[in-house]
Amino acid sequence: MSNAQRALEHAKTQRSAYMSGFSELLRIPSISTDPNYKAEVARCADWVRDEMRRIGMKNCQTIPTDGHPVVYGEWLEAGADKPTVLIYAHYDVQPVDPLNLWVTPPFEPTERDGKLYARGSEDDKAGVWANLKAIESILAVDGKLPVNVKLFFEGEEESGSPNMHPFVAGNKDLLNADLFVLCDGEFVRDQPSIVYSGRGIVAAEVTLTGPDHDLHSGTYGGTVHNPLHLAGKIIGSFHDDAGRIQIPGYYDAVRDLTAAELANLEQLWARTGPQFKERSGAAHFWGESVASTAVRATALPTLDVNGMWGGYQGPGTKTVLPSKAGFKVTMRLVNDQDPVEIGRMFKDYVMSFATETVSIEVSVPVAGYPFSTQFEGAGVEAVQQALVATVGKRALMERAGGSVPIAGMFQRELGIPMTHLGLGPGDNIHSPNEYIVIEDFYLAIDTAIHVLYNLISFK
């Protein structure tokens, strides 16, 4: 029996214990976006660090940042002739609102019909836990890992990784490796996929200020410029009727997909497209004349208003002309778009609406770069062969519509090859009743074991 097979057998005997430990991790409400949970995020980081130490990782530490801590650990005793693999996942989670839509409390892991329900169960504590249990299984039977491993677990991915860039830039030696494995995403048994491209992100907030206090709309309506009216004008100007973004220069850096990328995207979309539309709950999609749905969802930039505020929001009527109004925006960017430049374009465009009657402030707190992993090569093939061994299928190569800010940072700052391994077999991420399929999670752990052995010959 090979070492890999022995590790797989060990993981199988430990399934109950592994799931019990996972439930402990899920009970910690590590919500990074809410300052009220800062202590819980720190507690979660310490818990993960201690678990790293327990399973045999070395130099395990929680490293402070200006935001939430990074959890780091390493095992570098495989030898200089073996590759060093840097594995990433994040231990922070999204808020749980609306709480009333959860069937069971979000931080009380609950098993129903072969699924484990809890916030963070798929996104992305599955990525943390599957890697830890893969390493634990290998060390338990072999006493050593087949490759050198560095673990980097982030605590603020769900808040846009605002403090990660200075950390990555300042710790290049610590994080240097031969391959970066991004473990944030789905594990789908029926047809796995490997994300080879993800969009960048720019988040912005706009505040408009008119009079220095709220006014009676009967007395002052028509004489004082209403900030909400100007906010609506700005928002309405972002797109034309077809859905194309109207900020000058917004599309200048966007490059067309290659024929191979387009063919792969169409193949993937033939499988996922119907489910994509069903999940949306939308009767009709927007922007059909701009490009196909598959291209618009993954390969073109976006600009979306995520919320707007101002004036009276309660029941009934209050005849108020508000002093202030505002809205929040996120923009998803594709390869070759620079988030700093796009943020400047956005700010300049919005500020062009400023008048003597209403002032405008624009803040851009989050800017994350797009990223591209390997489309083919030894790193991708190590993941492909692992998936063949566990689920019997090679993965399709996928462009992601979402963003993983840390990936673009690593690509720009470290310049090391990158591949993707999703380890979260479930659904309802960022929504009530997030879950993983328990049997598929065991397969995800097995896949992580196979990947580590498959990477022996990467260097």
Side-chain angles (χ1 to χ4, degrees):
M1 182 183 292
S2 69
N3 288 342
Q5 191 59 44
R6 290 170 59 230
L8 292 166
E9 287 296 322
H10 179 83
K12 186 174 182 179
T13 66
Q14 296 299 308
R15 284 182 173 182
S16 178
Y18 286 178
M19 192 56 61
S20 177
F22 189 42
S23 293
E24 286 187 48
L25 176 59
L26 293 173
R27 289 189 183 98
I28 305 175
S30 50
I31 302 172
S32 62
T33 60
D34 188 339
N36 292 320
Y37 288 87
K38 184 174 182 178
E40 293 293 348
V41 177
R43 181 166 73 93
C44 189
D46 289 344
W47 192 97
V48 172
R49 177 204 60 204
D50 292 346
E51 180 67 7
M52 280 186 185
R53 288 174 177 162
R54 188 192 68 78
I55 68 174
M57 295 293 289
K58 311 295 184 182
N59 192 24
C60 303
Q61 51 188 309
T62 55
I63 306 175
T65 73
D66 287 341
H68 299 299
V70 163
V71 185
Y72 176 85
E74 61 188 24
W75 196 94
L76 304 177
E77 301 171 23
D81 61 326
K82 298 295 192 300
T84 298
V85 182
L86 176 63
I87 297 174
Y88 167 89
H90 65 88
Y91 66 88
D92 66 315
V93 302
Q94 279 276 319
V96 299
D97 298 340
L99 186 59
N100 64 301
L101 295 183
W102 286 81
V103 175
T104 51
F107 295 109
E108 292 181 15
T110 304
E111 183 178 343
R112 297 195 303 274
D113 301 322
K115 300 173 182 177
L116 186 69
Y117 290 83
R119 172 57 87 227
S121 55
E122 179 182 347
D123 185 20
D124 182 36
K125 287 180 177 177
V128 172
W129 196 247
N131 278 299
L132 290 177
K133 297 304 106 176
I135 290 169
E136 179 176 356
S137 299
I138 295 171
L139 289 175
V141 301
D142 200 21
K144 62 182 184 298
L145 298 180
V147 294
N148 301 301
V149 172
K150 296 180 177 181
L151 297 178
F152 177 97
F153 296 149
E154 182 190 356
E156 51 184 56
E157 194 275 343
E158 297 295 6
S159 52
S161 303
N163 299 289
M164 287 300 99
H165 188 258
F167 178 87
V168 174
N171 289 275
K172 291 183 180 182
D173 290 340
L174 181 71
L175 301 175
N176 188 42
D178 298 299
L179 179 70
F180 175 52
V181 182
L182 176 65
C183 295
D184 185 4
E186 289 183 295
F187 178 92
V188 182
R189 180 204 289 240
D190 293 341
Q191 178 54 73
S193 62
I194 295 173
V195 173
Y196 77 92
S197 181
R199 294 196 284 197
I201 185 171
V202 174
E205 184 165 358
V206 178
T207 302
L208 302 95
T209 303
D212 64 4
H213 61 283
D214 290 354
L215 300 173
H216 190 292
S217 64
T219 303
Y220 288 99
T223 64
V224 173
H225 196 170
N226 189 324
L228 271 172
H229 295 180
L230 185 56
K233 181 179 180 180
I234 298 171
I235 292 169
S237 75
F238 285 147
H239 302 84
D240 63 16
D241 289 343
R244 189 172 177 85
I245 298 164
Q246 296 300 288
I247 296 176
Y250 201 83
Y251 293 96
D252 285 357
V254 177
R255 56 181 165 88
D256 294 333
L257 298 179
T258 65
E261 286 177 313
L262 191 57
N264 181 79
L265 181 59
E266 290 174 349
Q267 181 184 9
L268 182 67
W269 210 255
R271 177 180 66 85
T272 62
Q275 187 181 38
F276 177 83
K277 184 167 187 178
E278 180 182 353
R279 284 180 176 179
S280 75
H284 303 283
F285 281 148
W286 187 42
E288 301 287 351
S289 63
V290 174
S292 69
T293 301
V295 171
R296 296 197 318 281
T298 62
L300 284 179
T302 69
L303 190 162
D304 285 294
V305 176
N306 307 128
M308 58 186 302
W309 57 271
Y312 179 62
Q313 305 291 329
T317 299
K318 182 180 181 183
T319 56
V320 63
L321 192 158
S323 170
K324 291 180 180 290
F327 56 92
K328 297 176 184 287
V329 166
T330 49
M331 294 159 270
R332 303 288 178 163
L333 311 182
V334 296
N335 283 9
D336 294 345
Q337 286 187 299
D338 184 330
V340 176
E341 177 65 13
I342 293 296
R344 182 196 62 76
M345 286 182 185
F346 176 82
K347 183 173 183 177
D348 288 348
Y349 179 80
V350 172
M351 291 301 297
S352 71
F353 286 82
T355 70
E356 292 182 352
T357 53
V358 175
S359 64
I360 300 175
E361 294 181 18
V362 181
S363 66
V364 184
V366 176
Y369 283 87
F371 71 91
S372 294
T373 72
Q374 294 180 319
F375 192 80
E376 56 188 5
V380 175
E381 194 58 28
V383 177
Q384 292 281 25
Q385 291 302 320
L387 290 167
V388 169
T390 55
V391 304
K393 291 182 179 180
R394 291 178 65 86
L396 294 176
M397 302 303 290
E398 179 181 4
R399 297 183 66 92
S403 306
V404 184
I406 199 78
M409 294 178 203
F410 270 87
Q411 195 155 55
R412 289 175 62 84
E413 294 294 338
L414 302 181
I416 59 178
M418 184 186 311
T419 191
H420 171 251
L421 173 63
L423 294 169
D427 206 346
N428 295 341
I429 64 171
H430 295 205
S431 299
N433 304 308
E434 180 180 354
Y435 69 87
I436 58 163
V437 178
I438 294 174
E439 285 299 319
D440 289 358
F441 190 44
Y442 296 141
L443 281 179
I445 295 172
D446 290 350
T447 302
I449 292 172
H450 278 290
V451 167
L452 289 173
Y453 281 102
N454 291 350
L455 286 171
I456 291 175
S457 59
F458 175 81
K459 192 171 182 179

